[in-house]
Amino acid sequence: MAQLILKPGKDRAMARRHPWIYDSAVARLEGRARPGDTVTVLSDSGKVLGKAAWSPESKIRARMWSFDPEAVIDHAFFKRAVAASVARRQRHPGLARQDGVRLIHGESDGLPGVVVDRFGAVVVMQLTSAGADKWRDAIVNALVQATGCEAVYERSDSDVRGREGLEPVTGCVHGALPDALTIVENGIRMEVDVVGGHKTGFYLDQRDNRLMTRELASGRKVLNCFCYTGGFSLQALAGGAASVLSIDSSGPALSTAERNLALNPSLDAGRAAWQEADVFSALRELRDAGERFDMIILDPPKFAPSAAHAERAARAYKDINLLGFRLLNPGGLLMTYSCSGGIGVELFQKIIAGAAADAGVDGRIVHRLSAAADHPVGLSVPEGEYLKGLCCEVP
Ligand code: SAH
């Protein structure tokens, strides 16, 4: 097995158990390794620090599979790691009863580059690192064993694969997909398009926040921006919202949203309106038309994939949030999110504070929001905390 030797002092990150080894930390590779091969990681003084996957094309040159110097990375390793991750969800009462649950959340579950969501009997897997890609068969077998699922569908079509020198891979890798796939999330039935939907087909990370929307929506006139397939909209209706206007730029997402509404006949469809539009201009049109709302949800796509995009992203967040504050009735709630890894919690709060100040309102934070429990954040991997949200009330 090839040996990756770190530069002097670069074993400090290892002591913090951070799983990434950047190219700048690598002194040399002794021996030969192909992309995804397991390498032994050593400090410059020759101390064995663990085992990692070699990613020669990436700035993150290696990702730790284990900090145990004795660890063997083989089929049994993945069987144990996958089973443990699945068992953690089963032990959590709030997650065990869910149809849709993230089973593996990458680095934070000890499996760098591996993301797995379960939707009923279907498991969707996304591999984004050379190491994860190499162990595809082991991971699939382990998933089938740990879950007893009927199908595993691979959605390894994320852009980040390019940075690892990997081509997109999609398709069924076990069993066959059912004709139509739906899940029930906190009482609401939702279609999941694992083939054509965003990411793995559905945004499980917002589950708890959609439930909170339901709890706060009663009697309110709601505006849901970036609604995708209507998750927040339908929970707001279930919570007794007076009306819900939902906006998204994707026609197919809105069609799914309307089908989702039809899948839930207990909801009053007469209270829902859908608009295909760019949110940035739609908010201005609503402002110019003198419209006002009692609850506004802003859940935009990732404006800042990394810190390098933070400044431009900050302007975009400020823009929509400023308009959001202006469109609120007295006592209104702004439920605002960022899923940008490049925008930290503190910076996000600063942006929202700036938006409120420019809108001339004294907002206050009533809830701090984050991803659900099946998206844990490893204490050694703070980068895992990508989703942050604030529920702000205005006077
Ligand atoms: N809140 C959703 C997830 C939102 S994902 C849920 O709970 O499931 C972000 C959505 O923003 C996507 O559906 C995408 O189509 C939409 N989108 C991206 N840019 C947009 C824009 N400028 N205007 C309107 N919608 C946009």
Side-chain angles (χ1 to χ4, degrees), residues 190 198 202-207 210 224-232 247-251 253 277-280 297-303 339:
M190 300 288 291
H198 293 177
F202 191 75
Y203 291 92
L204 290 169
D205 52 358
Q206 289 283 26
R207 183 195 309 111
R210 288 190 284 259
N224 179 16
C225 295
F226 310 96
C227 68
Y228 189 47
T229 58
F232 281 103
I247 303 176
D248 201 282
S249 57
S250 160
D278 169 50
V279 164
F280 291 84
I297 300 147
L298 298 173
D299 183 24
K302 194 161 53 186
F303 290 151
C339 58

Side-chain angles (χ1 to χ4, degrees), residues 89-356:
R89 273 67 178 175
Q90 281 161 352
R91 279 202 301 272
H92 186 296
L95 296 176
R97 62 169 175 264
Q98 296 291 340
D99 273 1
V101 61
R102 173 149 298 190
L103 297 178
I104 302 178
H105 190 48
E107 276 71 355
S108 294
D109 278 305
L111 288 166
V114 184
V115 163
V116 176
D117 289 343
R118 180 176 66 78
F119 303 108
V122 173
V123 163
V124 184
M125 171 182 85
Q126 186 168 71
L127 307 177
T128 53
S129 66
D133 198 78
K134 182 109 189 171
W135 288 100
R136 170 178 290 102
D137 291 349
I139 296 166
V140 173
N141 289 338
L143 283 169
V144 173
Q145 278 196 8
T147 65
C149 65
E150 284 167 19
V152 180
Y153 190 83
E154 177 161 9
R155 272 297 298 272
S156 300
D157 53 358
S158 156
D159 295 343
V160 297
R161 274 176 71 90
R163 284 186 245 150
E164 296 272 320
L166 300 167
E167 299 291 325
V169 177
T170 57
C172 236
V173 284
H174 169 79
L177 287 180
D179 292 338
L181 180 60
T182 64
I183 58 167
V184 177
E185 180 189 273
N186 295 316
I188 299 295
R189 187 167 288 280
M190 300 288 291
E191 191 179 301
V192 180
D193 179 1
V194 303
V195 178
H198 293 177
K199 303 213 283 187
T200 61
F202 191 75
Y203 291 92
L204 290 169
D205 52 358
Q206 289 283 26
R207 183 195 309 111
D208 293 355
N209 302 326
R210 288 190 284 259
L211 188 59
M212 171 167 288
T213 292
R214 174 188 193 139
E215 283 163 1
L216 297 173
S218 179
R220 291 184 188 262
K221 189 176 165 196
V222 177
L223 172 64
N224 179 16
C225 295
F226 310 96
C227 68
Y228 189 47
T229 58
F232 281 103
S233 312
L234 270 56
Q235 291 291 354
L237 288 170
S243 67
V244 183
L245 172 60
S246 307
I247 303 176
D248 201 282
S249 57
S250 160
L254 288 168
S255 304
T256 308
E258 293 194 62
R259 282 200 301 279
N260 284 337
L261 183 54
L263 284 173
N264 294 274
S266 66
L267 302 180
D268 182 354
R271 297 184 185 191
W274 309 95
Q275 188 182 339
E276 183 175 337
D278 169 50
V279 164
F280 291 84
S281 36
L283 287 173
R284 290 180 163 76
E285 281 162 24
L286 291 166
R287 176 197 62 193
D288 295 346
E291 290 279 355
R292 292 288 180 274
F293 299 88
D294 307 310
M295 176 189 269
I296 298 179
I297 300 147
L298 298 173
D299 183 24
K302 194 161 53 186
F303 290 151
S306 75
H309 306 81
E311 204 177 305
R312 209 181 56 188
R315 279 197 294 275
Y317 285 117
K318 172 129 180 226
D319 184 47
I320 54 174
N321 282 280
L322 197 161
L323 289 160
F325 277 121
R326 288 214 168 120
L327 283 168
L328 280 176
N329 277 321
L333 296 173
L334 184 70
M335 323 263 303
T336 182
Y337 300 92
S338 162
C339 58
S340 294
I343 304 268
V345 182
E346 272 180 47
L347 175 56
F348 187 57
Q349 183 172 328
K350 259 191 204 149
I351 294 167
I352 304 309

